[in-house]
């Protein structure tokens, strides 16, 4: 109950439906690395990619995609239906509908509060107090989550069918060094061990990562060391958006391919 109360307060304050996001993120952890079943920055199969309209394709494969989070909450990713706010969404089980309704109600209360403050204090005040910080948060969240699953120099595999398992999915994540920001977001850059053992609290992630490195051997990808500010990540992000477009419609072990026709340009 305490987790739920704190979760609703903190998530609603940043316009995120707590239970809706909690459940979909659980789905991500249970299925990471699976082409069809993953829920966070999963790859698009070539047939679906080719069917996307030009605007959608440009938005998905350009820096504009780093503004995607609130739109993903409303309508999920290309090829998937449902909403984090809808209790009848395919994201959720029937037993979870009450939780989703509760979170949507809390989100609505926060939205109403922001609207009231905007009317009372003026839009410029609200722009400075909330809107600009909110979009800075969205961009940083999308950059961090995207780079945990994309952009390694050697292509990372994605799986289907019997080739997928929990261990393989966890090992297809990528650790990142965020410099001064590591402590601010609780060392989530140590993402491999976070996926393999999500029950490990954040303050033990670095120690746990050092412990598993000798065991994982060549299957662990050492992150590039960051300067105090992680400016190196911008180059990695842009390169990935230009190259990681789709995976094959067939095959149980697939890798990102590039649209050589330049249709995302």
């Amino acid at each position: 109950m305490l987790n739920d109360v704190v979760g609703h307060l903190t998530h609603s304050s940043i316009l995120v439906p707590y239970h809706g996001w909690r459940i979909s993120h659980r789905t991500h952890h249970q299925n990471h690395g699976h082409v069809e079943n993953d829920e966070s920055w999963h790859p698009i199969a070539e047939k679906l990619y080719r069917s996307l309209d030009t605007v959608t394709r440009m938005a998905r494969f350009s820096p504009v995609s780093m503004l995607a989070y609130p739109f993903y909450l409303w309508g999920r990713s290309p090829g998937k239906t449902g909403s984090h706010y809808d209790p009848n969404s395919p994201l959720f089980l029937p037993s979870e509908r009450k939780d989703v309704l509760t979170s949507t109600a809390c989100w609505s209360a926060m939205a109403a509060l922001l609207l009231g403050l905007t009317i009372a204090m003026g839009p410029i005040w609200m722009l400075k107090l909330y809107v600009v910080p909110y979009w800075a948060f969205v961009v940083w969240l999308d950059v961090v989550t995207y780079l945990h699953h994309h952009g390694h120099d050697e292509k990372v595999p994605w799986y289907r069918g019997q080739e997928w398992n929990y261990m393989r999915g966890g090992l297809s994540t990528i650790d990142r060094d965020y410099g001064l920001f590591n402590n601010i977001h609780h060392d989530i850059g140590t993402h491999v061990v976070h996926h393999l053992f999500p029950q490990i609290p954040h303050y033990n992630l670095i120690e746990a990562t050092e412990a598993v490195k000798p065991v994982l051997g060549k299957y662990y990808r050492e992150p590039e060391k960051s300067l105090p500010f992680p400016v190196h990540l911008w180059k990695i992000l842009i390169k990935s958006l230009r190259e990681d477009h789709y995976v094959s419609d067939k095959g149980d072990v697939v890798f990102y391919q590039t649209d050589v026709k330049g249709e995302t340009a």
Side-chain angles (χ1 to χ4, degrees):
M1 183 179 293
L2 178 60
N3 279 334
D4 287 349
V5 170
V6 174
H8 278 112
L9 289 173
T10 54
H11 285 68
S12 297
S13 70
I14 51 174
L15 293 176
V16 176
Y18 166 64
H19 280 305
W21 171 244
R22 174 185 64 80
I23 294 167
S24 75
H25 196 65
R26 179 191 65 195
T27 301
H28 166 59
H29 269 267
Q30 291 175 339
N31 297 278
H32 180 263
H34 194 290
V35 174
E36 284 82 22
N37 297 340
D38 199 353
E39 186 55 37
S40 177
W41 290 115
H42 61 86
I44 298 174
E46 184 175 5
K47 183 178 180 180
L48 174 60
Y49 173 84
R50 299 295 180 192
S51 71
L52 298 177
D53 62 78
T54 303
V55 174
T56 300
R57 197 179 296 173
M58 290 180 64
R60 172 61 181 82
F61 301 100
S62 74
V64 175
S65 62
M66 297 302 107
L67 302 172
Y69 185 54
F71 305 101
Y72 160 71
L73 291 176
W74 276 107
R76 298 178 76 189
S77 304
K80 295 194 175 186
T81 60
S83 171
H84 287 72
Y85 301 92
D86 180 6
N88 297 311
S89 170
L91 272 167
F92 313 121
L93 299 173
S95 60
E96 296 167 332
R97 288 174 180 170
K98 289 184 178 179
D99 286 343
V100 176
L101 280 172
T102 300
S103 294
T104 300
C106 291
W107 182 96
S108 300
M110 181 63 189
L113 174 62
L114 292 174
L115 177 60
L117 289 173
T118 302
I119 294 172
M121 305 298 295
I124 300 300
W125 183 86
M126 183 56 64
L127 183 72
K128 294 186 290 185
L129 177 71
Y130 190 89
V131 175
V132 171
Y134 170 79
W135 284 107
F137 145 72
V138 166
V139 169
W140 185 246
L141 176 69
D142 279 330
V143 168
V144 168
T145 54
Y146 181 91
L147 289 175
H148 283 157
H149 309 294
H150 298 81
H152 197 266
D153 288 339
E154 297 179 6
K155 295 295 186 182
V156 176
W158 291 80
Y159 304 96
R160 293 187 176 103
Q162 294 184 350
E163 290 295 333
W164 180 90
N165 60 50
Y166 183 83
M167 177 65 76
R168 277 184 160 184
L171 291 176
S172 63
T173 59
I174 302 168
D175 279 7
R176 298 291 185 190
D177 184 358
Y178 299 100
L180 291 175
F181 294 95
N182 286 326
N183 289 334
I184 295 175
H185 44 52
H186 304 305
D187 295 310
I188 199 59
T190 50
H191 210 64
V192 175
V193 76
H194 170 65
H195 264 277
L196 293 176
F197 309 103
Q199 69 274 23
I200 295 178
H202 67 85
Y203 45 82
N204 286 334
L205 285 175
I206 293 179
E207 182 181 1
T209 297
E210 292 302 318
V212 302
K213 281 183 185 180
V215 180
L216 297 180
K218 66 178 182 179
Y219 296 104
Y220 179 77
R221 305 171 185 88
E222 192 75 39
E224 180 181 348
K225 294 300 181 182
S226 174
L227 297 171
F229 292 95
V231 293
H232 68 291
L233 295 178
W234 176 252
K235 181 180 179 181
I236 296 172
L237 175 66
I238 296 302
K239 183 175 184 290
S240 177
L241 290 172
R242 288 176 176 171
E243 297 180 356
D244 299 336
H245 295 154
Y246 58 82
V247 297
S248 174
D249 295 305
K250 299 179 181 179
D252 290 343
V253 181
V254 295
F255 299 83
Y256 267 112
Q257 299 179 42
T258 303
D259 181 4
V260 294
K261 296 179 181 179
E263 295 181 10
T264 62

